[in-house]
């Protein structure tokens, strides 16, 4: 179990790792800054002491006799350093080196007007030194000028900086550890804010209501809003399923009841005429039930408005429409209806789905074949206008009274007084498929003499240019 938990990604472990690595890097950077700061301070203190030692040597030179300006004891004390080595030199303009190390000579151009010691860096015997030099009038010979220099190695400066660093590292480490513990406690406490949300979701069974933004931390709002979007899609799918079940029960109740009645007629009679009539009714009811179930499935598919990759393609309605109309000519002839097509020769491109468009046009033609009446004329027209590409199906049948035109496209709506059997789903399917294509449906009277005209206006599309 523990191995399984450690093998999975942990938000807490990732957050702590994300914080711990910068903290360790911060400790290293702080140590470097501390060392540099300590070295700067050590240089400042040693430079001050070096200047003081140079002035002390000047005073010593003024107090010594002219024959022996620096005694051996004084020279020993000046050069003595437990952890390193000190250097000094006294140069006379007239006599050259008077005392000290001949290699320690101030560079030319160092001195300017003034009596302050000048600090500079120098190398002697592969040693890096810090030196302080000053010019003075020889107290025993006013016509001579002396250059007095004191220098020391940098060893003590680095040692003192390292000591300061070693003293500061434990305190900095404790501070980093304390900060890490506080971050760990904060992460642990912060993640506990997810417990109410987790418990709320765990207690749900069939509730797909949105989580909402109330009491949800800002950082996980994108997650909860994504979950709300998923819940919304699930509610839509469940609503479609429930609507399909309700529609199926509503539409199949009548033919199933009729099937039961006529089946009982056939079973309870020995008259061949009665039995034949009952079987004919049963056959018609079965055909109606089949058509109703097919239209219910088509309506459910049409109500799925989400577009997925590959659902649509560029289609030329001027080429597709006459092909689809031609497939229904034999049915129109059987119903004694003159079915024709009128459209342009040039291409009319839309972005759509071929199968949905075929279902749309089939339902429009079925509606005309069913209600236009024998001897009617039905025309499928295709035009381009300022609104887009218009696909229209027009007939010269009895039409629909203006009172009911606005209700065309509702599920299960059938114009009162119609003698033809139907499910009232054909135009509802047309409406849903048009919405899927971002098209608009218009229901109009074909002419003053009657008839119905249904127009679907599609937004035009520009297909990609083919390169040869």
């Amino acid at each position: 179990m523990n191995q399984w938990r450690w093998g999975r990604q942990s938000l807490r472990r990732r957050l702590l790792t994300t914080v711990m690595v910068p903290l360790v890097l911060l400790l290293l950077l702080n140590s470097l800054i501390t060392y540099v700061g300590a070295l700067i301070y050590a240089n400042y203190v040693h430079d001050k002491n070096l200047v003081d030692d140079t002035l002390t040597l000047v005073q010593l030179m003024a107090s010594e006799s002219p024959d022996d300006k620096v005694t051996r004891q004084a020279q020993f004390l000046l050069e003595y350093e437990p952890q390193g080595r000190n250097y000094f030199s006294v140069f006379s303009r007239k006599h050259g080196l008077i005392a000290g190390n001949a290699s320690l000579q101030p560079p030319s151009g160092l001195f300017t007007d003034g009596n302050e010691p000048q600090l500079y860096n120098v190398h002697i015997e592969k040693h890096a030194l810090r030196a302080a030099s000053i010019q003075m009038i020889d107290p025993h010979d006013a016509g001579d000028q002396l250059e007095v220099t004191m220098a020391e190695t940098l060893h003590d400066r680095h040692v003192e900086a390292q000591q300061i660093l070693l003293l500061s590292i434990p305190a900095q480490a404790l501070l980093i550890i304390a900060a890490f513990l506080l971050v760990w406690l904060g992460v642990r406490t912060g993640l506990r804010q997810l417990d109410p949300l987790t418990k709320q979701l765990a207690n749900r069974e069939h509730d797909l209501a949105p989580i909402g933004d109330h009491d949800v931390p800002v950082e996980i709002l994108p997650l909860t809003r994504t979950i709300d979007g998923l819940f919304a899609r699930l509610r839509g799918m469940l609503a479609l399923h429930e609507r399909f079940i309700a529609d199926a029960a509503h539409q199949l109740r009548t033919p199933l009841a009729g099937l039961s009645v006529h089946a009982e007629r056939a079973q309870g009679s020995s008259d061949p005429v009665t039995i034949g009539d009952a079987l004919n009714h049963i056959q018609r009811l079965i055909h109606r039930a089949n058509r109703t179930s097919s239209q219910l499935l088509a309506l459910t598919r049409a109500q799925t408005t989400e577009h997925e990759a590959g659902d649509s393609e560029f289609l030329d309605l001027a080429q597709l429409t006459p092909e689809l109309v031609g497939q229904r000519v034999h049915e129109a002839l059987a119903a004694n209806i003159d079915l024709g097509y009128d459209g342009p020769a040039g291409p009319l491109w839309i972005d759509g789905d071929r199968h949905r468009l075929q279902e749309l046009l089939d339902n429009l033609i079925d509606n005309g074949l069913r209600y236009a009446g024998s001897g009617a004329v039905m025309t499928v027209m295709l035009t381009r206008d300022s609104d887009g590409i218009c696909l229209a199906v027009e007939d010269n049948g009895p039409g629909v009274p203006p009172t009911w035109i606005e209700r065309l496209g509702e599920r299960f709506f059938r114009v009162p007084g119609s003698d033809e059997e139907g499910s009232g789903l054909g135009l509802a399917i047309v409406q849903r498929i048009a919405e899927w294509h971002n098209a608009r449906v218009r229901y109009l009277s074909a002419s003053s003499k009657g008839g119905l005209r249904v127009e679907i206006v599609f937004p035009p599309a520009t297909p990609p240019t083919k390169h040869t």
Side-chain angles (χ1 to χ4, degrees):
M1 181 67 177
N2 292 333
Q3 182 179 3
W4 177 79
R5 290 183 60 186
W6 279 99
R8 294 180 62 85
Q9 292 185 356
S10 169
L11 180 59
R12 179 183 289 106
R13 190 162 60 247
R14 179 173 295 181
L15 287 174
L16 293 176
T17 302
T18 304
V19 172
M20 189 61 184
V21 171
L23 286 177
V24 172
L25 294 177
L26 182 61
L27 175 61
L28 296 176
L29 178 61
N30 193 40
S31 299
L32 177 62
I33 294 174
T34 301
Y35 178 77
V36 172
L39 186 59
I40 292 174
Y41 179 75
N43 285 331
Y44 170 77
V45 173
H46 278 262
D47 285 349
K48 188 175 181 300
N49 292 335
L50 189 59
V51 169
D52 293 340
D53 291 342
T54 304
L55 296 176
T56 301
L57 180 57
V58 169
Q59 294 176 359
L60 180 63
M61 293 295 300
S63 63
E64 290 292 338
S65 64
D67 295 332
D68 190 7
K69 294 184 181 297
V70 180
T71 63
R72 292 182 180 277
Q73 292 79 4
Q75 181 172 342
F76 173 77
L77 292 175
L78 288 171
E79 293 181 345
Y80 175 75
E81 173 62 33
Q83 301 298 330
R85 182 180 177 186
N86 290 340
Y87 298 81
F88 80 98
S89 67
V90 180
F91 281 88
S92 169
R93 183 170 295 180
K94 290 182 179 181
H95 307 289
L97 179 66
I98 296 177
N101 193 315
S103 301
L104 185 61
Q105 186 173 2
S108 60
L110 175 67
F111 299 105
T112 58
D113 295 337
N115 297 322
E116 293 295 327
Q118 302 296 315
L119 294 165
Y120 59 95
N121 296 322
V122 68
H123 285 78
I124 296 179
E125 300 174 0
K126 298 182 180 180
H127 294 296
L129 305 176
R130 184 69 168 168
S133 298
I134 189 173
Q135 283 184 337
M136 63 177 290
I137 303 299
D138 190 343
H140 305 288
D141 183 0
D144 193 8
Q145 191 175 38
L146 301 179
E147 293 179 351
V148 180
T149 303
M150 286 290 297
E152 65 179 10
T153 59
L154 305 179
H155 177 268
D156 289 347
R157 303 169 184 243
H158 290 286
V159 169
E160 291 176 7
Q162 291 170 5
Q163 290 174 347
I164 295 174
L165 175 62
L166 292 176
L167 289 174
S168 66
I169 282 181
Q172 294 175 4
L174 288 176
L175 184 62
I176 293 296
I177 292 173
F180 177 76
L181 291 176
L182 289 175
V183 169
W184 176 79
L185 181 62
V187 169
R188 184 178 181 183
T189 304
L191 291 178
R192 283 180 178 174
Q193 295 184 7
L194 300 178
D195 292 344
L197 178 61
T198 304
K199 187 177 297 184
Q200 176 188 350
L201 293 176
N203 291 334
R204 291 189 178 192
E205 293 184 0
H206 304 290
D207 184 10
L208 296 178
I211 299 172
D213 297 346
H214 182 64
D215 291 338
V216 176
V218 176
E219 290 76 12
I220 63 170
L221 274 179
L223 175 61
T224 57
R225 288 172 179 172
T226 302
I227 294 175
D228 285 345
L230 175 62
F231 282 172
R233 291 192 292 272
L234 287 175
R235 288 196 303 272
M237 293 178 61
L238 291 176
L240 283 177
H241 293 164
E242 292 173 359
R243 184 179 299 173
F244 174 79
I245 293 172
D247 293 346
H250 178 270
Q251 287 299 109
L252 296 178
R253 184 184 297 115
T254 300
L256 289 177
L259 285 172
S260 177
V261 169
H262 291 293
E264 290 177 358
R265 276 183 62 204
Q267 289 177 340
S269 174
S270 58
D271 183 11
V273 176
T274 303
I275 295 175
D277 181 67
L279 291 177
N280 288 333
H281 280 85
I282 289 174
Q283 186 176 16
R284 285 207 329 271
L285 289 171
I286 291 175
H287 176 74
R288 178 181 173 184
N290 284 335
R291 176 173 173 77
T292 300
S293 61
S294 298
Q295 286 197 308
L296 285 170
L297 291 173
L299 180 62
T300 302
R301 288 194 302 267
Q303 287 173 336
T304 305
T305 57
E306 293 290 334
H307 287 239
E308 298 180 358
D311 276 357
S312 60
E313 59 181 326
F314 289 107
L315 297 172
D316 180 9
L317 280 185
Q319 178 182 1
L320 177 63
T321 304
E323 292 179 4
L324 299 180
V325 173
Q327 297 174 9
R328 305 301 302 274
V329 170
H330 65 286
E331 295 181 46
L333 293 175
N336 192 26
I337 291 178
D338 183 7
L339 175 62
Y341 168 75
D342 182 14
L348 295 175
W349 295 97
I350 67 166
D351 186 15
D353 179 75
R354 180 186 181 93
H355 299 291
R356 286 183 170 91
L357 289 174
Q358 181 173 4
E359 200 159 27
L360 177 145
L361 189 57
D362 282 344
N363 277 280
L364 289 176
I365 294 176
D366 284 343
N367 189 73
L369 294 179
R370 185 177 296 273
Y371 298 105
S374 178
V377 176
M378 181 167 52
T379 307
V380 178
M381 291 171 281
L382 195 61
T383 57
R384 178 191 291 272
D385 56 26
S386 58
D387 294 336
I389 298 174
C390 179
L391 173 65
V393 178
E394 178 180 310
D395 64 66
N396 61 351
V400 177
T403 308
W404 306 114
I405 280 186
E406 292 183 356
R407 296 196 58 185
L408 295 178
E410 294 182 9
R411 292 181 308 126
F412 307 124
F413 173 75
R414 299 178 66 239
V415 177
S418 175
D419 296 331
E420 293 292 332
E421 292 184 355
S423 61
L425 293 175
L427 293 181
I429 294 172
V430 170
Q431 191 83 27
R432 300 291 95 75
I433 294 177
E435 292 173 358
W436 191 93
H437 286 86
N438 296 318
R440 292 179 291 110
V441 183
R442 296 190 294 230
Y443 301 101
L444 308 168
S445 294
S447 65
S448 58
K449 297 180 180 181
L452 177 67
R453 178 182 175 90
V454 182
E455 295 181 349
I456 298 93
V457 182
F458 295 91
T462 303
T465 305
K466 295 182 179 180
H467 298 282
T468 57

